């Protein structure tokens, strides 16, 4: 019985020594030792966090009707990574946007299309379009007339001041024209 008790005490003593060297290690060092540091040091952000849908349904005095369904997409987000002071990495996933547009006159559909980055490829380099997201689509009532409706849109690279503004004219026959809108600084 004494030998059995002695044997149990020896096993307990050796088992309780496990991890003593880790008691003085930082959490970061322990995670690195176990190859878990990367998983615990990454932060993910989704912008916007939830799906966004903005619907506009406008009838102009000229008889033109415009329906815009501006919404976020779940495919091809723009991912920006930043290394923080503590060697952790933050990944920001910016969702792309597009707009479904229905253009009618007197309740008769003239054209319907999806407005996204592909319509604007000729205005900027592929590097810009790979990193830019659509910011908005709005109807310019003042610039619209009996022959056309004018829409404005912009694309911006997240976390920068790099952007491009565009004017999209939709004519009564369903054709479209896109022009880059050059903003000039205003002085007083």
């Amino acid at each position: 019985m004494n030998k059995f008790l002695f044997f149990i005490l020896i096993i307990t003593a050796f088992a309780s020594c496990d991890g003593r060297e880790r008691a003085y290690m930082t959490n970061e060092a322990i995670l690195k030792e176990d190859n878990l540091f990367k998983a615990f040091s990454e932060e993910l952000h989704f912008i916007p966090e939830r799906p966004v849908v903005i619907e506009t349904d406008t009838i102009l005095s000229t008889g033109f009707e415009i329906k815009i369904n501006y919404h976020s997409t779940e495919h091809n987000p723009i991912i920006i990574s930043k290394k923080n002071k503590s060697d952790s990495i933050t990944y920001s996933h910016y969702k792309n946007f597009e707009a479904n547009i229905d253009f009618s006159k007197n309740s008769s559909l003239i054209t319907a299309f999806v407005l996204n980055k592909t319509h604007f490829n000729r205005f900027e380099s592929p590097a810009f379009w790979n990193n830019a997201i659509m910011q908005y689509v709005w109807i310019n009532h003042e610039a619209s007339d009996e022959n056309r409706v004018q829409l404005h849109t912009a694309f911006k690279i997240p976390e920068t001041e790099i952007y491009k503004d565009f004017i999209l004219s939709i004519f009564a026959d369903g054709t479209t024209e896109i022009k880059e809108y050059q903003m000039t600084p205003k002085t007083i």
Side-chain angles (χ1 to χ4, degrees), residues 20-39:
R20 281 189 185 176
E21 71 280 353
R22 285 185 166 202
Y24 301 104
M25 292 174 72
T26 64
N27 289 339
E28 182 179 327
I30 293 170
L31 290 172
K32 284 181 179 177
E33 183 179 285
D34 293 337
N35 294 325
L36 294 172
F37 181 71
K38 185 178 178 183

Side-chain angles (χ1 to χ4, degrees), residues 31-100:
L31 290 172
K32 284 181 179 177
E33 183 179 285
D34 293 337
N35 294 325
L36 294 172
F37 181 71
K38 185 178 178 183
F40 281 96
S41 64
E42 291 179 352
E43 223 178 288
L44 297 176
H45 297 279
F46 294 91
I47 304 163
E49 290 180 10
R50 292 188 174 93
V52 171
V53 176
I54 300 172
E55 293 184 355
T56 305
D57 191 356
T58 304
I59 300 174
L60 301 174
S61 61
T62 58
F64 287 121
E65 301 168 33
I66 269 238
K67 292 182 182 182
I68 302 173
N69 179 308
Y70 175 77
H71 57 273
S72 58
T73 63
E74 297 299 319
H75 56 278
N76 300 326
I78 307 301
I79 302 171
I80 297 176
S81 62
K82 290 182 189 173
K83 193 169 188 177
N84 301 326
K85 293 178 184 177
S86 62
D87 284 340
S88 64
I89 299 174
T90 301
Y91 292 100
S92 298
H93 295 249
Y94 288 88
K95 295 179 182 176
N96 274 303
F97 286 82
E98 62 185 21
N100 295 338

Side-chain angles (χ1 to χ4, degrees), residues 140-162:
N140 186 341
H141 298 276
E142 292 177 3
S144 299
D145 57 31
E146 293 83 26
N147 299 317
R148 69 183 167 107
V149 172
Q150 192 176 90
L151 304 177
H152 288 251
T153 187
F155 295 88
K156 182 179 185 290
I157 297 177
E159 301 182 17
T160 71
E161 295 301 317
I162 302 170

